[in-house]
Amino acid sequence: MSLLEVRELSRHFGGLAAVNNLSFIVDEGEIHGLIGPNGAGKTTTFNVISGFYKPTAGEILFGGRRISGLRPSRIAARGVVRTFQATTLFQELSVFENVLIGCHMQSQVGPFGALLGTSRRAERASEVRAAEILEFMGLGDRRDDETVNLPHGHQRALGIAVAIAAEPKLILLDEPFTGMNPEETRQMMVLVERVRSQGVTILLVEHDMQAVMGLCDRITVLSFGELLAQGTPIEIRSDPAVIEAYLGTV
């Protein structure tokens, strides 16, 4: 069953078509890879899906409802949450405090909640949930560390933990393996699978082909903003057009 549908999507910047007439489907419960050479339009596609850019043409459906053109906050409220290539964390805060902020954004307790004591109950519930998320992501023993002192791999894991705090149905992971050594990559692959096991669908932009081929159920390949190929990892690995345009140069 499809969760996300991208239909004939285009995004132009002046005379440049960063994405051109792109269509693909992400099924519920899968890990779906979005790959291609630098400048292929992957991050622009993420930015349109998550509401940071409005499409020039086409539409995006999530759970059968149109989300293209909505504000990022409204798209996130429907269950589409993204991470970024550059880790966007509060470096001066603790690991626990970063995840707690994500939980607070989800709880959205207003002033009447404060008067009725709801906010105190929500605060306690957020603290419990933040602790559970950190344990789930293997960061429980780092909860009191300042984020700035975390190793690169742990910072990436924390970014996903903050995204999980928003209780997403779909996470858009933007190059989560960038800059990792082989051991960090292996650990992150385990974490991504663990997130999927909780019923979260994942759309993944990544250049690390070991991670992509090892994780993804299906892959969509872009080239110059257009669809080049779609299929399983085995099909993509053996596709002559993909090999010529991308895999053969890695």
Side-chain angles (χ1 to χ4, degrees):
M1 179 178 178
S2 63
L3 181 65
L4 179 76
E5 284 188 66
V6 176
R7 295 181 176 175
E8 300 178 349
L9 181 68
S10 295
R11 170 65 195 192
H12 297 173
F13 297 95
L16 173 66
V19 177
N20 187 40
N21 198 33
L22 174 64
S23 297
F24 67 93
I25 291 174
V26 177
D27 288 336
E28 187 172 0
E30 77 172 343
I31 299 176
H32 192 113
L34 187 63
I35 69 171
N38 288 328
K42 306 181 298 297
T43 297
T44 299
T45 301
F46 261 28
N47 285 334
V48 177
I49 293 172
S50 54
F52 289 92
Y53 296 153
K54 291 185 178 181
T56 303
E59 63 178 0
I60 300 166
L61 303 181
F62 180 69
R65 301 171 64 192
R66 193 173 188 270
I67 62 170
S68 43
L70 297 181
R71 296 191 304 273
S73 59
R74 292 187 62 189
I75 292 175
R78 293 193 182 186
V80 180
V81 177
R82 70 164 294 180
T83 64
F84 294 83
Q85 293 178 17
T87 304
T88 52
L89 300 169
F90 295 100
Q91 297 291 331
E92 73 281 5
L93 298 183
S94 72
V95 170
F96 179 76
E97 288 167 334
N98 268 276
V99 180
L100 190 59
I101 289 171
C103 292
H104 283 163
M105 293 175 66
Q106 178 64 23
S107 64
Q108 297 180 331
V109 175
F112 290 106
L115 290 174
L116 297 172
T118 306
S119 61
R120 289 188 292 274
R121 292 194 296 273
E123 173 71 21
R124 178 56 185 156
S126 293
E127 291 174 353
V128 171
R129 175 157 172 75
E132 290 174 347
I133 291 171
L134 287 176
E135 290 294 337
F136 177 76
M137 293 299 294
L139 294 169
D141 61 340
R142 310 299 295 264
R143 59 172 283 162
D144 296 323
D145 292 0
E146 284 191 16
T147 299
V148 69
N149 295 326
L150 285 183
H152 176 73
H154 285 78
Q155 292 223 11
R156 289 287 185 172
L158 180 57
I160 297 176
V162 173
I164 292 173
E167 300 182 6
K169 298 174 184 175
L170 170 68
I171 290 183
L172 311 179
L173 294 182
D174 198 352
E175 300 193 15
F177 300 95
T178 298
M180 290 189 176
N181 61 41
E183 178 57 24
E184 289 173 329
T185 296
R186 186 194 65 79
Q187 292 175 359
M188 180 58 73
M189 289 175 69
V190 171
L191 290 177
V192 172
E193 282 281 14
R194 190 179 297 169
V195 171
R196 191 254 290 269
S197 73
Q198 299 302 300
V200 180
T201 303
I202 296 169
L203 179 59
L204 171 74
V205 163
E206 184 54 57
H207 285 289
D208 186 321
M209 286 300 100
Q210 176 186 355
V212 169
M213 296 299 175
L215 277 174
C216 294
D217 302 296
R218 289 188 303 131
I219 299 170
T220 296
V221 187
L222 303 185
S223 180
F224 298 106
E226 298 184 350
L227 178 66
L228 179 65
Q230 295 188 87
T232 65
I234 292 176
E235 290 169 340
I236 294 301
R237 188 184 292 119
S238 59
D239 188 303
V242 177
I243 293 171
E244 180 179 358
Y246 185 43
L247 295 183
T249 66
V250 175

